[in-house]
Amino acid sequence: MSTEQPQDLAQPGAPVPGHDALEDLVGEWLAIPDVAQRLGVRLTDVRRMIEEGDLVAVRVGERRVLQVPAAFVDDDGPLPALRGTFTVLRDARMSDDEVVAWLFARDETLPGGATTAVEAIRAGFKTEVRRRAMEEAL
């Protein structure tokens, strides 16, 4: 496992974290069938959510199975506030692995006591997270 800090891994152009590091950074993952079951939708619906940018999925684990961080969904579906943030980070030329690493990198300067961008979004600080994501694009 790399000795680099997660914040360093989330910078554009920085090495993408190894699969183990990314798995550890995120914590709980959901395979595509698990997302479908949680949301009560078909597998094709989940795949469409990924294709349309409502969700980001990356290949992790020993078998490199396509998975979604559990924090990206709730019982109603993908968190709506994430879609625009995904778009901004992709516009900054980040890969999906880098997008996930950026959203889960520890940052004690985020508002509301959040320690990661995804926690800040869940706490209602979407605008601040997007502002920071836009700075990445510059």
Side-chain angles (χ1 to χ4, degrees):
M1 192 154 92
S2 174
T3 58
E4 295 179 59
Q5 297 298 313
Q7 300 92 314
D8 298 332
L9 297 172
Q11 299 302 314
V16 176
H19 300 291
D20 290 341
L22 193 57
E23 280 183 82
D24 293 342
L25 189 63
V26 171
E28 185 183 357
W29 292 88
L30 298 170
I32 303 307
D34 298 329
V35 175
Q37 183 177 10
R38 179 178 280 190
L39 301 180
V41 299
R42 299 172 303 169
L43 288 172
T44 55
D45 294 330
V46 176
R47 288 188 179 102
R48 186 173 52 253
M49 290 175 200
I50 294 167
E51 289 172 12
E52 292 178 355
D54 294 324
L55 286 174
V56 169
V58 297
R59 295 195 177 277
V60 294
E62 186 176 310
R63 297 182 339 164
R64 307 239 326 120
V65 175
L66 191 62
Q67 298 188 62
V68 173
F72 288 178
V73 297
D74 60 20
D75 292 336
D76 296 326
L79 298 178
L82 285 172
R83 182 182 176 110
T85 304
F86 293 154
T87 300
V88 170
L89 293 171
R90 285 175 171 153
D91 286 349
R93 304 247 187 264
M94 284 190 181
S95 68
D96 287 348
D97 288 359
E98 291 169 319
V99 167
V100 171
W102 190 89
L103 285 165
F104 284 90
R106 296 190 70 72
D107 183 348
E108 304 300 328
T109 67
L110 288 164
T115 58
T116 67
V118 75
E119 287 176 359
I121 287 171
R122 286 182 152 279
F125 296 100
K126 170 184 78 173
T127 303
E128 175 61 18
V129 171
R130 286 229 186 115
R131 183 189 64 76
R132 292 175 187 218
M134 285 182 212
E135 289 173 0
E136 294 291 329
L138 298 178

